[in-house]
Amino acid sequence: MIRAVRRPALAVALAAVGATALAACTTAPAPARSQGPAGHVDPATRPDLRAFYGQKLKWTACGDLQCADLTVPMDYAHPANGRTFVLPVARAVTTGTAARIGSVIVNPGGPGGSGVQSLLEEGMAESFTPKVRARFDVVSFDPRGVGGSSPALTCGKNEEPTDAATGPTSDGTTPEKNAPEKNAAEEPAPEETAAAATDPFFPRSETERADVLAEAKREADACAKASTGILRHVGTEDVARDMDVLRAALGESRVTYLGWSYGTSLGTAYAEQFPRRVRAMVLDGAVDPALDWSQRAVSQGLGFRRAVDDYIASCAEVAGDSCPGSTPEEIRTLIEGLFRKTARDPLPVDGDEYGADASTLLDALVLSMYTPEAQWKDLSEALADAGRGDGTKLARLAGAEDPAPAADEDAESGATTDGPGDADEPGTEPPADNSDAALQAVNCFDVPHPRDAEAYWKALARADEAAGRYGTSTVTAALTCKDWPTTTRKPHRVNAPGIPPVLVVGTTGDAATPYEEAASLASQFPGGALLTYEGFGHTAYGRSNSCVTRHVDGYLIDLRTVPAGTTC
């Protein structure tokens, strides 16, 4: 699986995200005019949601920002049962109060990305220009189950992996760390049968498939046990409902929103439920809700394969003298040789008994495709070191680190009983990182996955033909979703009648959210506009060029539409 997040993340996982439907139960005797598609009741008018929609945020200082807590029902179908999520909220107050338009709500990506930490620690507000900062408060929040949310998702303490690609082998032994005696790029290719037997991304034999199924079930069971009671309540559609409660708590009649990557799925889910509550919506690095799980695996796998090809072809232009080869052919030969080598014998890594295996190499390559201008130099140095037999830098790029501390008991209990406005004042210590657990939970819940293993084996062949290891790895990782709670809603085209023009931004060299998905999403919104950025990397606004900035700023501030066919 591969994560669709604006910035590089700790894990590699498929961004299989999409809107889900949860029918609203109401005791309202006479529903008000719907803010969503026909037949939907306006949640803000429901008596059983009045306390949530009527809450006032209590802002306190947190560094240079302001922080508060927002309380939302765990189950919107039964909001009076006392079970809630308390969500951290943070804002960077506008620099020009006299010309203030309102708040722009932002999601940095994921699923599993903490909006609060993106503002506090990563300076997400600085992605906006002074012109936008002078007109808007920049607001973000931790989605239900994520980061500082209470309760928060957890999959329990990390355990040693059990497949041959990532540590102990299926018979319980651990691969020895033998430093290569010569450059991996010069290693001769093994026989085809040997290559098939050591391919960690395409299980072919019954034994290999049984191993990956057992590992996937172990992971699913661990998450279900540790997060009992909340797994069915962390889907993107409910997060969108939370965002509407936040809109009301901010005192906004309509939402101005910018979502990067997975944030485009959140924006789409909000647009479908509350189309007439949208003032402006920018979706940058789009996820197409019309794709099913296997189509997304192929789409994203193909995106990463093309991005690695771009790195090989353009390394000298971006990374200069750091490139691990003097020609594209040399770089490709090095990478392919490393895959063969690490599939058999992990490279030694300082301070790590398992070393850097083929999965480490794949993770390092994939995660380095998000921001080439900042990452391709480091990737080049890591590949050069790996060619000389040292996997330490590869492991660092792959996000290898000590397991995060276990979540506290409150997070594992599955519920809170706090009512709106009763939460404690926000603390100053950042919460434990549970992005991997949240990533898995949301991905698996949002998009239905088959229960029959045979469907995954068939998808493997299609993914291998389209995208090689970058496709097959997404399919095998999706096996965890086989035994996971999931929505019953199917992939679909956007249904948001009455929404004002939405601006979708697509980057031609985006691996995590391929450009084709941006073009598709823009076409699904009535009056949707597509802004194309010709370049490498994941997403565009805040990291590309002045052309993209000018068009997005003009849309956010003045609601200026972007002409069809605009390319930056």
Side-chain angles (χ1 to χ4, degrees), residues 226-546:
S227 295
T228 299
I230 67 174
L231 287 183
R232 294 184 180 276
H233 300 291
V234 296
T236 301
E237 178 125 331
D238 277 343
V239 179
R241 294 180 178 204
D242 298 342
M243 195 164 80
D244 197 55
V245 175
L246 175 60
R247 170 201 59 78
L250 291 169
E252 304 287 355
S253 60
R254 293 190 298 164
V255 160
T256 299
Y257 176 80
L258 191 150
W260 285 285
S261 196
Y262 163 76
T264 67
S265 289
L266 175 55
T268 299
Y270 186 89
E272 291 196 301
Q273 295 180 88
F274 310 103
R276 295 180 180 87
R277 288 227 179 96
V278 174
R279 174 190 170 272
M281 180 172 284
V282 178
L283 306 178
D284 185 359
V287 178
D288 185 354
L291 300 183
D292 68 21
W293 74 275
S294 62
Q295 291 169 325
R296 289 186 178 186
V298 171
S299 173
Q300 204 174 48
L302 184 57
F304 277 102
R305 191 188 76 176
R306 291 186 306 208
V308 173
D309 287 343
D310 287 339
Y311 162 73
I312 291 171
S314 304
C315 182
E317 177 184 345
V318 177
D321 293 339
S322 298
C323 287
S326 58
T327 67
E329 290 73 20
E330 285 186 11
I331 299 173
R332 187 179 301 278
T333 298
L334 171 63
I335 292 173
E336 292 304 315
L338 285 171
F339 270 115
R340 292 192 298 270
K341 170 63 181 175
T342 55
R344 300 190 305 273
D345 301 301
L347 299 174
V349 171
D350 291 346
D352 183 344
E353 63 177 304
Y354 295 121
D357 59 14
S359 292
T360 307
L361 174 59
L362 181 69
D363 289 2
L365 285 165
V366 163
L367 291 174
S368 296
M369 298 300 111
Y370 284 80
T371 51
E373 66 277 11
Q375 296 176 286
W376 280 6
K377 183 176 184 294
D378 290 342
L379 173 63
S380 297
E381 293 174 352
L383 289 172
D385 280 4
R388 291 187 288 268
D390 184 357
T392 303
K393 289 183 179 179
L394 274 183
R396 187 178 303 129
L397 288 179
E401 61 182 24
D402 293 334
D408 60 33
E409 293 181 1
D410 288 341
E412 296 188 18
S413 66
T416 68
T417 56
D418 294 326
D422 293 336
D424 294 334
E425 294 295 329
T428 57
E429 292 297 320
D433 181 4
N434 71 336
S435 57
D436 290 348
L439 174 76
Q440 190 71 58
V442 177
N443 280 343
C444 291
F445 183 83
D446 272 3
V447 176
H449 285 69
R451 301 298 188 190
D452 180 12
E454 187 61 30
Y456 296 87
W457 311 144
K458 291 179 179 178
L460 272 174
R462 297 193 300 270
D464 184 49
E465 182 178 359
R469 62 177 65 93
Y470 303 98
T472 56
S473 61
T474 64
V475 173
T476 53
L479 278 166
T480 305
C481 297
K482 172 179 172 293
D483 299 302
W484 204 275
T486 189
T487 180
T488 58
R489 194 178 193 189
K490 298 183 182 299
H492 63 283
R493 292 179 63 83
V494 173
N495 178 27
I499 193 170
V502 170
L503 177 58
V504 179
V505 184
T507 300
T508 56
D510 194 328
T513 50
Y515 176 77
E516 293 84 355
E517 296 194 36
S520 176
L521 183 63
S523 72
Q524 295 174 41
F525 279 104
L530 175 65
L531 174 62
T532 298
Y533 167 56
E534 290 186 336
F536 301 138
H538 184 39
T539 75
Y541 185 70
R543 61 161 295 267
S544 55
N545 60 27
S546 60

